[in-house]
Amino acid sequence: RTEGVVSWVKALTRSNDIFFYKVGELIGPDVLASWAKVFGFGQATGIDLPGEVEGLIPTPAWKEKFKGEKWFLGNTYHMAIGQGDVLTTPLQVNQMTNILATNKKCQLHVANNQMIKPARNAFSIADAGGCPNVEISPDILDIIKRGMVGACKEGGTAYPFFNWTGTEVACKTGTAEYITKFGKYATHAWFTVFAPVDDPQISVTVLIEGGCEGSKIAAPVARKILATYFGVEDNYNYDLA
């Protein structure tokens, strides 16, 4: 269906590609790239795990140097929604989620080998590397949070959370296109979320490679993790995923 008038909040809630195409066109690829780097994209997080890759945030200069091609408006459109030559890791998306939740960029560490750990015993990032502030306007962060809260409610894209009865969550679905070894288009399923919105304790980022839609495949995984973490009764029908 048509979306009608789309605000920043609605664009995030509804994952409206066209809105972000036009925003990308207005500000240009170099500004997009500079802010992507503020959030840690295109560079290793420095987590204490071997083999971490940097990913890639393309720019016109990069494309001309490494591909021998000029940058076109379509490249900006792709970049603005995280497609095209953009390469990210789940850790980078999780780091971005943490920044949006707290306005701080913490050094990531492996806390322990348990999947779920109660908040009261969680590893203290502040005690191991610190969490410097990221210079983002509180008003801008508020807009983003409202859009992410809307994504997990009726009218948003993350329908596995529509009947969520636990603490309020803020989330974003994602579906990343790629080409298989057989030359066919397929999609990775992405989902990232933090909670509670007013006092963040946990963030979860899920990537299902070749998993199709983030809302259908990745969101239920995150929901089950949050339900276990917060100890809430979970009545979601996971057979639908």
Side-chain angles (χ1 to χ4, degrees):
R1 67 179 186 271
T2 58
E3 294 284 5
V5 177
V6 179
S7 65
W8 276 101
V9 172
K10 185 176 180 180
L12 287 164
T13 293
R14 297 288 304 149
S15 276
N16 188 290
D17 286 349
I18 296 172
F19 183 94
F20 293 103
Y21 291 158
K22 300 306 291 183
V23 170
E25 182 178 357
L26 286 170
I27 67 175
D30 289 317
V31 174
L32 282 173
S34 65
W35 274 101
K37 290 180 180 178
V38 169
F39 283 92
F41 292 107
Q43 53 199 298
T45 67
I47 194 170
D48 43 345
L49 285 172
E52 185 182 13
V53 296
E54 295 182 348
L56 173 66
I57 296 298
T59 63
W62 170 88
K63 189 183 180 191
E64 187 167 357
K65 179 179 179 179
F66 290 98
K67 287 191 168 185
E69 300 171 356
K70 292 185 177 180
W71 186 274
F72 296 101
L73 179 58
N75 298 124
T76 302
Y77 286 170
H78 287 158
M79 183 182 180
I81 63 168
Q83 303 278 11
D85 290 314
V86 173
L87 294 174
T88 67
T89 69
L91 279 175
Q92 290 171 340
V93 173
N94 187 254
Q95 182 173 253
M96 174 196 70
T97 305
N98 294 342
I99 292 172
L100 295 176
T102 65
N103 205 14
K104 295 179 182 295
K105 186 178 182 180
C106 298
Q107 174 60 52
L108 301 182
H109 289 282
V110 177
N112 54 58
N113 60 1
Q114 299 177 34
M115 180 176 290
I116 298 295
K117 189 173 180 68
R120 62 181 178 277
N121 296 324
F123 182 82
S124 176
I125 293 293
D127 294 336
C131 297
N133 287 333
V134 178
E135 297 301 323
I136 305 174
S137 164
D139 292 338
I140 298 300
L141 284 175
D142 180 65
I143 289 171
I144 296 171
K145 287 180 180 179
R146 285 192 285 131
M148 292 178 69
V149 168
C152 278
K153 293 183 177 181
E154 290 281 352
T157 55
Y159 59 84
F161 276 85
F162 286 177
N163 67 343
W164 173 257
T165 57
T167 184
E168 188 174 49
V169 301
C171 73
K172 185 70 186 72
T173 56
T175 303
E177 294 180 346
Y178 72 102
I179 299 177
T180 70
K181 63 181 180 180
F182 303 108
K184 296 185 178 296
Y185 282 99
T187 54
H188 299 313
W190 282 93
F191 186 78
T192 195
V193 60
F194 69 87
V197 173
D198 293 333
D199 183 23
Q201 298 177 23
I202 183 174
S203 62
V204 177
T205 299
V206 178
L207 165 65
I208 308 295
E209 293 184 340
C212 195
E213 295 182 2
S215 55
K216 178 178 175 61
I217 302 299
V221 177
R223 175 178 172 130
K224 183 169 286 190
I225 292 172
L226 290 184
T228 302
Y229 183 88
F230 288 111
V232 301
E233 183 178 353
D234 190 9
N235 58 3
Y236 183 71
N237 183 3
Y238 288 94
D239 291 336
L240 295 177

